[in-house]
Amino acid sequence: MLSTRTAIAGIAAAIALTLSLSSCASTSADASADGGVDAATATSVSAFGDLAGLEKAAKAEGALNVIALPRDWANYGAVLDAFNAKYPEITITEASPDASSAEEIQAADNLKGQDTAPDVFDVGAAVALANTKKFAPYQVETWADIPDALKEQSGLWVGDYGGYMAIGYNPDAVPAPKSLDDLLGDEYKGKVAINGDPTQAGAAFAAVGMASVQSGGSTADFQPGIDFFSKLNKAGNFVKIDPTPATIASGETPVVFDWDYLNVGYGKKLDGQRKWEVVVLPGTGYAGYYNQAISADAPHPAAARLWQEFLYSDEAQNLWLAGGARPARAEAMEAAGTIDKKLFEALPETPDETVVPSAKESEDAAALLGSNWATAVQ
């Protein structure tokens, strides 16, 4: 098994071999609230002089609109509360916490030009790569600590936290799955769920990706994963319910494909109600990071940039770690002695081999899913 440190480096290296993208984002001409800096075109904190200048501009705006950030997702509740405690002058509006990555972009399109439009996004790789023209480039102060593989070169999108696709299950309801094919058995009838629609949601997309690499396919060939879920559906084992702690507690979704940190979080939340075990299947592991991006049409551009600075600070990176996720700056923080060592060493062991789809592979997989998914699981 790889150590946590090696695993994170391995994820980054896997992406670095294949993932590169450069594009231009449109920007607004609106000046920031301090009257002296055009926050909408700022590409780093230096545009404001220093962090204090950015803080002043963001406080003058007094608002930040976020979207699709469930409070029980990777410790987002604690992250939001910490930002609010640090900057009480900035009111955070949390819209549609259960929206998918694709729905975040749709909301930005629908609300463009309005004060209620999203300022920032948290999206999966496929959605990030397909929407770079909607993002504003920005490089946070800790930019150098973020592996090159996890960021677009100008800062249009930046990986922030990640993990491995895993299977969570209630051991009182089903036997422990030791392979993907186990889930096709009668013991799992009407019990297996994924987190969303893979044509729209990053976690569900990754579930199909993991099924592909565990079924003789690859990141370049998602068809075996689609075929697996088709078999699961025909066997009567696939449940078309988006899993939540409530559906797990009720017994509706006793087996869930989801990121390891989310499955671990379900177990913590259900402690005393349901037993919940988490397994990353042996063999090839499917890893991924979620990406932060600033909307090119952000109604509060300074606050959006301050939010990014906070997310990549030691404080917020350790909060991801407390949620069981692997922070993007983990390697640099470990070297600097600023990472929570106990939490870092407690992360689950990782597979012998790790794969991550490239930009082209993600785009091709998204197109394939758009054509074949609905028919496969209807």
Side-chain angles (χ1 to χ4, degrees):
M1 291 294 181
L2 300 178
S3 67
T4 300
R5 177 176 180 177
T6 305
I8 295 174
I11 295 172
I15 304 175
L17 290 172
T18 51
L19 186 57
S20 62
L21 182 71
S22 60
S23 60
C24 297
S26 62
T27 54
S28 166
D30 293 336
S32 68
D34 71 358
V37 179
D38 185 356
T41 62
T43 57
S44 72
V45 73
S46 63
F48 302 89
D50 53 20
L51 183 60
L54 173 56
E55 291 173 334
K56 180 180 177 181
K59 290 175 183 178
E61 291 176 348
L64 174 70
N65 298 336
V66 301
I67 185 171
L69 306 184
R71 285 184 152 264
D72 58 357
W73 178 290
N75 209 26
Y76 247 123
V79 173
L80 288 160
D81 291 344
F83 183 85
N84 184 64
K86 189 168 186 176
Y87 303 111
E89 305 89 346
I90 302 173
T91 300
I92 303 176
T93 299
E94 301 174 39
S96 306
D98 295 321
S100 68
S101 293
E103 288 168 337
E104 294 181 54
I105 303 300
Q106 183 179 7
D109 289 341
N110 292 342
L111 297 171
K112 184 176 180 178
Q114 301 182 41
D115 288 343
T116 54
D119 287 304
V120 290
F121 305 109
D122 177 305
V123 292
V127 172
L129 293 168
N131 291 281
T132 55
K133 291 183 179 180
K134 299 180 186 295
F135 306 152
Y138 187 78
Q139 297 182 359
V140 294
E141 284 192 301
T142 54
W143 181 258
D145 289 350
I146 303 167
D148 289 343
L150 298 183
K151 59 194 181 188
E152 190 276 332
Q153 60 184 0
S154 69
L156 290 174
W157 52 261
V158 188
D160 194 9
Y161 61 90
Y164 285 81
M165 185 49 50
I167 298 173
Y169 65 97
N170 178 354
D172 290 335
V174 297
K178 297 180 180 179
S179 71
L180 204 62
D181 285 344
D182 286 350
L183 300 179
L184 298 172
D186 291 341
E187 303 95 329
Y188 297 90
K189 193 167 293 292
K191 292 181 170 68
V192 184
I194 62 176
N195 192 349
D197 180 336
T199 65
Q200 299 185 46
F205 178 95
V208 180
M210 188 266 267
S212 296
V213 300
Q214 290 271 331
S215 300
S218 67
T219 53
D221 180 14
F222 267 41
Q223 189 58 50
I226 296 173
D227 293 342
F228 169 78
F229 279 102
S230 180
K231 293 177 186 176
L232 196 72
N233 188 54
K234 289 177 181 177
N237 295 8
F238 186 39
V239 181
K240 299 169 188 175
I241 298 173
D242 286 352
T244 65
T247 65
I248 293 171
S250 68
E252 295 174 272
T253 58
V255 182
V256 174
F257 280 80
D258 214 336
W259 296 112
D260 52 358
Y261 52 89
L262 295 184
N263 264 316
V264 169
Y266 295 151
K268 290 179 180 178
K269 191 162 187 176
L270 294 168
D271 187 32
Q273 300 179 60
R274 291 281 183 188
K275 292 181 181 177
W276 194 248
E277 303 291 339
V278 182
V279 60
V280 176
L281 293 178
T284 304
Y286 185 103
Y289 275 74
Y290 275 82
N291 304 282
Q292 304 293 342
I294 296 172
S295 173
D297 301 306
H300 312 104
R305 285 155 176 78
L306 184 61
W307 171 249
Q308 299 301 302
E309 293 288 355
F310 178 73
L311 292 181
Y312 291 92
S313 69
D314 289 350
E315 180 180 0
Q317 292 282 289
N318 275 319
L319 287 173
W320 298 135
L321 196 57
R326 294 166 169 82
R329 291 183 53 236
E331 294 298 305
M333 288 172 64
E334 184 185 28
T338 58
I339 201 162
D340 187 315
K341 186 176 180 180
K342 183 177 180 181
L343 290 174
F344 192 47
E345 292 178 349
L347 289 174
E349 289 189 333
T350 55
D352 293 326
E353 180 183 357
T354 295
V355 296
V356 180
S358 69
K360 177 68 163 56
E361 289 169 344
S362 292
E363 291 167 359
D364 289 347
L368 184 67
L369 283 162
S371 298
N372 296 356
W373 177 256
T375 302
V377 299
Q378 69 181 4

